[in-house]
Amino acid sequence: MGKTFENIYMIDDDPIYLFLAKKLFIEQKFSQNIKTFENGKVALECLLDSQNLNENLPDIIFLDLNMPILNGWEFLDSFNAAPIPNKEKITIIVMSSSINPIEIDMIKSYPVVNDYIVKPLTPADLQKLLAF
């Protein structure tokens, strides 16, 4: 893989999945800078704070749908409404174990969502994302 992503946010409440995905990113040289969040609320706060702290926004966000506190749907709605500069440059990938066609159609109705990946994340999924 030639291209890499500078900054990645992983938003998922499963610590084992986060560990394995982070390991996959590093092994595949997809990214070395990966921030993990256990819910959408903490991630959204970090996005909003990043402009105050002069930190780089993520290039890509991997978002789980089913989480406590602020789930993926609520995160997407909050992200859309949030005053985050240059947020249109952030690629959002929804990850879920659901293959429900109704849920997939709902995900695709969000203009900020670039793609949907059925868990678990694989090296082939990462290859596909590098083509964006």
Side-chain angles (χ1 to χ4, degrees), residues 50-69:
S50 65
Q51 58 193 351
N52 299 334
L53 301 172
N54 247 357
E55 290 182 2
N56 292 331
L57 289 173
D59 300 305
I60 189 167
I61 295 173
F62 290 91
L63 175 67
D64 184 29
L65 291 177
N66 301 310
M67 297 176 288
I69 304 174

Side-chain angles (χ1 to χ4, degrees), residues 53-108:
L53 301 172
N54 247 357
E55 290 182 2
N56 292 331
L57 289 173
D59 300 305
I60 189 167
I61 295 173
F62 290 91
L63 175 67
D64 184 29
L65 291 177
N66 301 310
M67 297 176 288
I69 304 174
L70 188 73
N71 67 33
W73 302 108
E74 294 163 330
F75 175 86
L76 289 170
D77 291 336
S78 299
F79 181 86
N80 275 335
I84 301 166
N86 298 316
K87 67 181 172 185
E88 68 280 354
K89 294 180 180 176
I90 300 172
T91 299
I92 297 180
I93 307 298
V94 171
M95 303 176 305
S96 179
S97 51
S98 171
I99 54 170
N100 179 338
I102 295 168
E103 193 170 80
I104 293 169
D105 285 343
M106 284 175 55
I107 292 164
K108 290 179 179 175

